[in-house]
Amino acid sequence: MAVNLHIPSETDIFPVAGVEIGVTEAGIKKENRKDLTVFKFSPGTAVAGVFTKNRFRAAPVQICESRLQAGHDIRALLINTGNANAGTGADGLERAYATCHALAKELGVLEEQILPFSTGVILEPLPCEKIIAALPQAISALGKNEWMKAAYGIMTTDTQPKICSRQIQIDGRTVTFTGISKGAGMIRPNMATMLGFLATDADIEPQLLKSLTLDIANHSFNRITVDGDTSTNDSFIVAATGQSGIQVDNTSSPHYETIKNELTAMARELAQKIVRDAEGATKFITVRIEDAGNSEEALKVAYAIAHSPLVKTAFYASDPNLGRILAAVGYAGIEDLDVNKTRLWLGDVLVAENGGRSPAYQEEDGQRVMNEAEILVRISLGRGDVTETVYTCDFSHDYVSINADYRS
């Protein structure tokens, strides 16, 4: 059951000029399920991506990284669910290349202009013949505002589609931002078992888009965790079609900060929706580390808390066993941490200070916060002025059931 996950109405989803989307059924894992999606971009669209750091990177990830590094003019994305095409060696690469070749032929573009994406079961051969056979249907379904269908089409264990869209005015022109994501388990930064696709009709210089995409990912998809597992297929793509006429050539461009802030806000919303729909989640938890000496140590502490099964199961049970949080702070890896300067809040309740329980803390206050669906854990380290925030969820019985039954 998703935690306060907002699904916009169709009228609140805006098409991005220069982007067409087609969704169809290929029968990759199950019949009568939308599992194949094609994005087609207008010529001149700038495309950048950030991918998993898992050494067993899936075949499509390897191809995407290579083609983006080579600077190819990307014209289409090919996305399948039901099969990750990971842990499949040279055969997996050949199958991914075959699907790209087939799509390029259908669209009349070069094979190198196609980026493939897969999500699903690892170690299974990609049924490329099913994908290739379904490509004409996907292409015939291409439309200017099929974002919602695509949001459903890329789901695996997700229970809800993850989509957001907004428009802003710049110099009298409308600039559109629309994006989708998927992911519910095997979620951890660098990146999660997630796919994210974000498009805008702003005109962003390609090299600038590359650095911008990495920065956006570091403040959104690289700030979420469900279970601490880093997947083999994580991919986050930003496409800028330039159709609005609003140009951003460098960081000094007058509209750079506005465009960057909008893209970051969109990506953060899509990332948070993944956590809200995490496998078996009943609570959305924000872990904010304040007064850290640097970003690295702040994130060490944040992830020690967010990854702890003891902490996460306590949240599921609404049990204010908050010593578990202090223990996680203590083993996070800050060797010279002064625990007497460390303070812990649960929501608006000061729980611990001066190395122990706050004299004013009452368990019923902690219980009140633990009963809520959205919870803020705030830690002050008393070491500096750096703040970092990570988003996570609780662990429930359903998480085990979902992952135990995943292949059946």
Side-chain angles (χ1 to χ4, degrees), residues 41 47 63-77 96-97 99-105 108-116:
F41 298 137
V47 178
I63 294 171
C64 286
E65 288 179 319
S66 175
R67 289 179 175 175
L68 288 173
Q69 289 171 3
H72 292 298
D73 178 24
I74 304 303
R75 294 294 308 281
L77 313 179
Y97 281 128
T99 62
C100 291
H101 177 79
L103 179 57
K105 187 176 180 180
V109 300
L110 299 176
E111 180 179 336
E112 292 77 14
Q113 294 178 298
I114 309 293
L115 297 183

Side-chain angles (χ1 to χ4, degrees), residues 175-198:
V175 182
T176 302
F177 307 83
T178 301
I180 59 174
S181 63
K182 64 80 49 182
M186 199 182 276
I187 299 292
R188 179 191 170 149
N190 295 324
M191 289 168 56
T193 184
M194 49 77 52
L195 300 178
F197 304 100
L198 180 53

Side-chain angles (χ1 to χ4, degrees), residues 23-335:
V23 185
T24 192
E25 299 173 7
I28 294 169
K29 183 180 178 182
K30 297 179 180 179
E31 298 298 326
N32 302 315
R33 187 202 184 288
K34 302 290 187 184
D35 56 8
L36 188 66
T37 301
V38 171
F39 277 71
K40 180 183 177 183
F41 298 137
S42 59
T45 297
V47 178
V50 178
F51 302 92
T52 181
K53 299 300 183 183
N54 193 308
R55 292 301 300 163
F56 269 100
R57 292 191 304 284
V61 169
Q62 297 175 51
I63 294 171
C64 286
E65 288 179 319
S66 175
R67 289 179 175 175
L68 288 173
Q69 289 171 3
H72 292 298
D73 178 24
I74 304 303
R75 294 294 308 281
L77 313 179
L78 176 59
I79 310 155
N80 75 267
T81 62
N83 184 292
N85 195 11
T88 49
D91 179 70
L93 285 169
E94 289 181 12
R95 290 170 183 261
Y97 281 128
T99 62
C100 291
H101 177 79
L103 179 57
K105 187 176 180 180
E106 292 283 347
L107 294 178
V109 300
L110 299 176
E111 180 179 336
E112 292 77 14
Q113 294 178 298
I114 309 293
L115 297 183
F117 303 85
S118 298
T119 182
V121 179
I122 299 171
L123 278 178
E124 298 290 338
L126 182 74
C128 56
E129 65 286 345
K130 291 184 178 181
I131 294 174
I132 293 170
L135 286 177
Q137 299 168 238
I139 293 169
S140 66
L142 285 170
K144 297 183 183 301
N145 199 5
E146 301 296 332
W147 285 94
M148 184 62 83
K149 288 182 181 178
Y152 277 102
I154 65 174
M155 290 167 55
T156 49
T157 57
D158 310 63
T159 68
Q160 302 287 346
K162 298 159 185 67
I163 183 169
C164 58
S165 185
R166 65 183 69 179
Q167 291 182 321
I168 62 173
Q169 297 297 312
I170 299 179
D171 289 347
R173 300 190 185 194
T174 300
V175 182
T176 302
F177 307 83
T178 301
I180 59 174
S181 63
K182 64 80 49 182
M186 199 182 276
I187 299 292
R188 179 191 170 149
N190 295 324
M191 289 168 56
T193 184
M194 49 77 52
L195 300 178
F197 304 100
L198 180 53
T200 178
D201 53 12
D203 186 357
I204 305 175
E205 193 276 329
Q207 285 301 311
L208 178 62
L209 183 64
K210 181 178 179 180
S211 61
L212 188 57
T213 300
L214 178 59
D215 186 70
I216 292 167
N218 283 336
H219 289 87
S220 57
F221 292 105
N222 279 342
R223 291 292 183 271
I224 61 174
T225 182
V226 168
D227 46 23
D229 276 355
T230 299
S231 174
T232 54
N233 292 62
D234 319 322
S235 306
F236 171 50
I237 295 293
V238 180
T241 68
Q243 299 292 304
S244 70
I246 296 298
Q247 293 185 328
V248 180
D249 296 327
N250 54 64
T251 56
S252 299
S253 294
H255 307 306
Y256 171 77
E257 289 296 332
T258 299
I259 297 297
K260 174 185 175 181
N261 290 342
E262 289 296 329
L263 287 171
T264 302
M266 290 281 289
R268 187 179 294 119
E269 181 178 343
L270 290 171
Q272 290 182 3
K273 286 185 174 184
I274 289 175
V275 176
R276 292 182 183 281
D277 192 31
E279 291 166 345
T282 68
K283 296 180 181 178
F284 179 85
I285 302 162
T286 300
V287 181
R288 181 180 303 150
I289 309 303
E290 302 174 348
D291 306 318
N294 55 59
S295 179
E296 180 182 3
E297 69 179 27
L299 291 173
K300 277 185 178 181
V301 174
Y303 287 123
I305 297 167
H307 289 156
S308 168
L310 288 177
V311 171
K312 294 161 80 69
T313 50
F315 277 114
Y316 172 61
S318 297
D319 176 16
N321 188 353
L322 303 177
R324 294 178 175 183
I325 297 177
L326 285 184
V329 174
Y331 67 61
I334 303 178
E335 299 297 332

